[in-house]
Amino acid sequence: MGIISLASGNSCWRGLDYYKSKKVTELNKINENEYLSVVKGTKNYNVHLDIEHPRKSTCECPLANGKRIICKHIVATYFSAIPEEAINFEDEQTRLQEEYEKENEYDEVIKCLSKMSKQELIGELIQVFDYGPEWIYNNFVKRNLY
Ligand SMILES: [Zn+2]
């Protein structure tokens, strides 16, 4: 499991915010997977980020201190260490948002259909027959005419 999947949604968003407003200072790479930083906030917190073993990451803040929790300071440090992950996170959130909106749109279409008169529905259906793929028309004929 990665840092992002172990952190709460709130910690991810706040962490992204901290990263973007450049609250991560003194970022130091210890080795391929470990970083140290100081994250500025109401107080300054020392963060130790372990990408390979996320649960071993530490932060001095009250939420995470001694609790193996991935807080916003650890997430912010992670995004600073690997900026592509911040882009990936945002892209994924945008994709989920669009998916959610598409689902809502479908519900709205059903609601709209249920309010239409028979005449309006026939009009819409004829448009589908005239401009939609041919199999829709053929299926309708097969099911209803013979
Ligand atoms: Zn923290």
Side-chain angles (χ1 to χ4, degrees), residues 44-47 58-67 71-73:
N44 292 354
Y45 296 116
N46 289 301
V47 172
T58 60
C59 175
E60 293 176 317
C61 77
L63 179 74
N65 198 3
K67 291 182 201 134
C71 66
K72 62 189 174 188
H73 308 104

Side-chain angles (χ1 to χ4, degrees), residues 33-50:
N33 292 303
E34 289 176 84
Y35 293 80
L36 292 175
S37 78
V38 176
V39 180
K40 285 193 242 169
T42 35
K43 280 184 182 172
N44 292 354
Y45 296 116
N46 289 301
V47 172
H48 171 226
L49 169 68
D50 187 332

